[in-house]
């Protein structure tokens, strides 16, 4: 798969082969590769868009649309992979937060911290969330993070530690 090859190249370029293994498989098959409840952290940059507006390229469609990784499946798999009190980090479109929070709740994932990114025109673009498996209720909303300068270029000083 093209995307798995790209991920492997990135791991090698960053000299992380001894720390990161790229597995090219459906997340639902995770038990063929790792043990259930064996991770302290799961991070995902999932497909954002509903599968109705798919792109022409299959690779791009898989990466951008939730045809193969629905919000429900993502939350179920993250919960299954995480140890109790494990942390789930993800970015998601703000317009789909209600759906995400419902699915997280069904899977025992409690949103704990969240911030929104905005462009230089104060338009909200993405939401970044930290959820904890088996945690009590209570969400802290952090200040928005502006990601573009006045010319629309990504700011190089985006190393703010929110999580």
């Amino acid at each position: 798969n093209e995307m798995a090859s790209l991920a492997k190249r990135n791991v090698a370029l960053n000299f992380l082969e001894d720390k990161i293994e790229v597995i090219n498989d459906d997340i639902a098959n995770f038990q063929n590769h790792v043990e259930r409840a064996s991770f302290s952290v799961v991070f995902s940059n999932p497909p954002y868009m509903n599968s109705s507006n798919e792109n022409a390229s299959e690779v791009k469609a898989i990466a951008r649309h939730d045809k193969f990784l629905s919000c429900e499946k993502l939350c179920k798999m993250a919960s299954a992979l995480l140890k109790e009190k494990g942390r789930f980090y993800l970015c998601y479109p703000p317009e789909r937060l209600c759906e995400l929070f419902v699915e997280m709740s069904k899977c025992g994932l409690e949103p704990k911290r969240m911030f929104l990114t905005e462009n230089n025109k104060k338009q909200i673009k993405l939401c970044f969330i930290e959820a904890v498996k088996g945690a009590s209720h209570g969400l802290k909303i952090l200040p928005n993070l502006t990601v573009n300068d006045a010319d629309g270029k990504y700011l190089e000083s985006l190393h703010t530690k929110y999580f």
Side-chain angles (χ1 to χ4, degrees):
N1 172 310
E2 181 182 337
M3 299 311 284
S5 295
L6 178 61
K8 288 177 184 178
R9 282 194 304 264
N10 280 318
V11 168
L13 285 170
N14 288 288
F15 307 103
L16 295 170
E17 298 94 337
D18 59 329
K19 295 182 180 184
I20 297 175
E21 177 185 357
V22 176
I23 299 170
N24 183 18
D25 199 353
D26 186 318
I27 188 71
N29 299 329
F30 76 86
Q31 288 183 294
N32 294 337
H33 309 281
V34 298
E35 290 183 39
R36 178 183 271 299
S38 61
F39 288 86
S40 299
V41 174
V42 170
F43 175 82
S44 181
N45 183 2
Y48 301 136
M49 298 172 241
N50 291 323
S51 54
S52 58
N53 292 334
E54 291 187 23
N55 297 343
S57 161
E58 183 182 5
V59 171
K60 287 181 181 177
I62 290 169
R64 294 179 182 167
H65 301 278
D66 63 3
K67 181 177 179 180
F68 297 104
L69 184 61
S70 67
C71 182
E72 176 185 18
K73 184 177 180 180
L74 173 65
C75 291
K76 281 182 181 177
M77 295 300 102
S79 184
L81 286 164
L82 286 169
K83 300 174 185 178
E84 194 67 15
K85 303 299 181 198
R87 297 179 184 279
F88 179 36
Y89 296 94
L90 75 157
C91 52
Y92 220 66
E95 61 272 10
R96 294 188 68 193
L97 280 178
C98 289
E99 172 190 8
L100 177 65
F101 286 165
V102 166
E103 294 303 334
M104 282 181 160
S105 181
K106 288 180 188 177
C107 298
L109 298 168
E110 184 64 33
K112 298 307 287 178
R113 292 190 288 174
M114 176 177 95
F115 69 91
L116 302 171
T117 65
E118 60 184 38
N119 63 17
N120 60 337
K121 296 174 184 145
K122 302 289 185 201
Q123 296 169 321
I124 301 299
K125 293 299 182 181
L126 283 175
C127 182
F128 287 80
I129 302 161
E130 174 191 49
V132 177
K133 183 177 178 178
S136 60
H137 296 303
L139 173 64
K140 181 178 181 179
I141 299 178
L142 302 166
N144 289 359
L145 177 64
T146 303
V147 296
N148 303 95
D149 64 16
D151 297 325
K153 296 178 188 169
Y154 278 104
L155 295 171
E156 291 188 30
S157 59
L158 290 180
H159 302 290
T160 306
K161 276 193 152 182
Y162 276 88
F163 298 141

